[in-house]
Amino acid sequence: MSTRHSRLYRWLDERLALSALSDFLLNEPMPGGPSFWYVFGSSLFFILLMQALTGVMMLFYYAPTMDHAWESIRYMMEEVPFGSFIRGLHHWGASAMIIMAILHITQVFVWGAYKRPRELTWLAGLTAFGTVLGFAWTGYLLPWDQLSYWGTIVGTEIIGTVPLVGEPLATFLKGGGAIGAQTLSRFYAIHIWLLPAIIFTVIGLHLYLFRKQGVAGPFSGTVQELERNKGFFFPRQFFFDVIAAMLIFLILVYLAMFHPPELRSPANPSLAPAHVAPEWYFLFLYQLLKYFPKEWIVVGTTIIPGIMALALVGLPFYDRNPERHPLKRLRALSIFFLVLCAMAVLTYLAILSAPETLTPDPELALKGKQIYQESGCTSCHQIHGQGGSVGPDLSYEALAGRSPDWIRQHFRHPDQVVEGSIMPSAAELGLDEDDIEALTHFMFSLK
Ligand code: HEC
């Protein structure tokens, strides 16, 4: 073997034990052989590294202060080459991480791979999952836009309802009574330093335990069969893992290029948006809370999430049946999938209840802007400081929570929609349906 290697390799090997290291990394035995089912863990590791890299790249531009955070992101999105792309990768990477983590947990659950002697591997993995949620939540505030500002107010209020620890924890996170400069500094410190330190530590532990206990392997088959089909990590499993990582990366590249995350209007503490909603992965909780009146809110914020967390954490300790075959664990499986379904249904209901909106067509909005200027709207309405003050300020009309139909109908007959309205109707202003449509698109571009 050593004769095939260059002198440089032999020199390094003598000092760094490279061959022993690559033997250890690549020749991991896999009972039952490599499988495409095992790609979730390595995909997560790949996304984690991608998040770290894109995160550091954004740190080159991001300024963690109230005055400059939003502007620094705007600069990155609009002026820095590939800035929008890198932010897109980081944004979609967060969602990919949560999806892959749910798949990984589901697979480990169905395979019964959390069972003795892998309890600690399971716990380290769950800690990493909790850390990922922490990353997602703290990262949401950093652009300092309207939704992240108001969403974080709701989030810290939810934490505040947890008995005993909630209030002090919320105050600690906010760095005082209100969301402000201290909150941004703290979320930044947590997102950039604390959580990365935690996640790389627990993932290190997770991988160490994983190697120590070995691959759990398929849930069926005798010891002899598994031994007969035994394979090694390299090259087949490595190949599967690379294929999965590449697939995920291509999807993320597509999303980052064609659906980059938008930068909403900057945080405005004096203008509450009509509708505040978290990212999709927290929607189920947000929806759940709608069903509890104020005096019962602890059930939604503490008891139900607490039971779910405890059920997961305690799983390998109360489920001591060594049987791993899913068909012989139907009760456990039904509970697991019922909870997943309930979460999916809640998420779906939350999406349904989001107010209707309209994505403004740039051309129509521009036409609407002209009509706006020619029809004398300015004499009564202000947009960013320009115009009269007879009617309401329209600077953020898209965030006012009006549905497109409300806006259209209001243009047609203001007094039928708002009692006693003195605003002239479309007919009085000489506007036809096309003009109304253009104006509506213009209204939905105001944010
Ligand atoms: C004579 C003054 C006047 C003119 C001209 C006028 N508006 Fe208004 N507008 C009002 C008043 C007063 C209200 C508040 C009562 C209401 O909602 O109807 C209002 C409300 C609105 C609203 C609803 C805001 C909300 O979400 O509550 C929109 C949108 C709007 N105007 C757009 C326009 C546009 C576009 C034009 C030009 C085509 C226009 N207005 C012309 C006085 C005016």
Side-chain angles (χ1 to χ4, degrees), residues 368 371-381 383 389-394 397 400-402 406-407 410-411 413-415 417-426 429 431 439-440 442-443 446:
I371 299 173
Y372 181 87
Q373 280 155 356
E374 289 160 7
S375 308
C377 313
T378 340
S379 59
C380 294
H381 290 289
I383 292 182
S389 51
V390 181
D393 185 338
L394 298 177
E397 185 59 18
R402 305 293 189 199
W406 189 98
I407 296 275
H410 179 266
F411 281 142
H413 311 288
D415 54 342
V417 178
V418 178
E419 230 189 74
S421 173
I422 56 151
M423 174 160 145
S425 68
L429 291 168
L431 303 173
L439 274 176
T440 306
F442 178 49
M443 291 296 113
L446 297 171

Side-chain angles (χ1 to χ4, degrees), residues 125-433:
L126 284 184
T127 312
F129 182 52
T131 315
V132 167
L133 295 180
F135 268 115
W137 191 59
T138 50
Y140 191 59
L141 181 68
L142 302 183
W144 202 252
D145 63 27
Q146 269 292 68
L147 262 195
S148 64
Y149 175 85
W150 292 94
T152 304
I153 293 188
V154 176
T156 48
E157 269 169 10
I158 291 174
I159 292 179
T161 64
V162 177
L164 296 176
V165 291
E167 272 297 333
L169 182 61
T171 311
F172 168 75
L173 287 170
K174 286 187 284 189
I179 306 277
Q182 285 291 327
T183 324
L184 186 54
S185 297
R186 287 180 188 201
F187 275 50
Y188 177 72
I190 293 171
H191 193 83
I192 304 299
W193 294 111
L194 190 60
L195 295 178
I198 294 176
I199 204 155
F200 281 104
T201 310
V202 291
I203 288 301
L205 191 66
H206 189 65
L207 292 177
Y208 165 77
L209 289 165
F210 167 70
R211 286 305 300 268
K212 180 103 189 118
Q213 301 301 343
V215 178
F219 42 72
S220 58
T222 62
V223 178
Q224 290 86 338
E225 276 169 357
L226 294 184
E227 193 54 34
R228 195 159 3 97
N229 297 330
K230 184 167 115 174
F232 292 93
F233 174 72
F234 195 83
R236 279 232 308 160
Q237 187 63 46
F238 181 76
F239 177 69
F240 288 152
D241 288 350
V242 169
I243 294 278
M246 283 300 107
L247 253 171
I248 292 171
F249 187 63
L250 282 181
I251 295 172
L252 292 177
V253 165
Y254 169 81
L255 289 169
M257 280 172 67
F258 298 107
H259 303 275
E262 58 176 326
L263 179 60
R264 294 164 290 240
S265 48
N268 181 348
S270 54
L271 183 91
H275 180 74
V276 179
E279 290 284 309
W280 65 268
Y281 31 83
F282 292 126
L283 274 181
F284 78 97
L285 188 63
Y286 177 76
Q287 183 68 15
L288 181 70
L289 297 183
K290 291 189 193 163
Y291 302 118
F292 295 100
K294 231 184 166 63
E295 58 277 23
W296 288 100
I297 202 79
V298 249
V299 180
T301 61
T302 315
I303 299 181
I304 294 178
I307 291 175
M308 283 167 66
L310 277 182
L312 276 178
V313 168
L315 180 65
F317 303 101
Y318 61 78
D319 173 13
R320 311 186 73 129
N321 174 5
E323 178 60 56
R324 283 180 50 209
H325 200 294
L327 291 181
K328 295 182 181 140
R329 297 158 50 229
L330 284 178
R331 200 177 46 166
L333 248 76
S334 340
I335 297 176
F336 187 84
F337 282 103
L338 264 177
V339 173
L340 271 189
C341 285
M343 289 166 73
V345 168
L346 283 170
T347 307
Y348 180 65
L349 290 175
I351 293 172
L352 279 190
S353 71
E356 236 192 296
T357 168
L358 178 148
T359 312
D361 174 87
E363 261 176 51
L364 268 181
L366 200 67
K367 184 181 162 210
K369 189 173 180 176
Q370 267 172 7
I371 299 173
Y372 181 87
Q373 280 155 356
E374 289 160 7
S375 308
C377 313
T378 340
S379 59
C380 294
H381 290 289
Q382 251 184 42
I383 292 182
H384 295 302
Q386 298 210 355
S389 51
V390 181
D393 185 338
L394 298 177
S395 308
Y396 302 98
E397 185 59 18
L399 303 174
R402 305 293 189 199
S403 72
D405 271 337
W406 189 98
I407 296 275
R408 291 188 193 106
Q409 196 53 24
H410 179 266
F411 281 142
R412 290 180 197 121
H413 311 288
D415 54 342
Q416 285 179 14
V417 178
V418 178
E419 230 189 74
S421 173
I422 56 151
M423 174 160 145
S425 68
E428 285 168 301
L429 291 168
L431 303 173
D432 60 18
E433 276 298 310

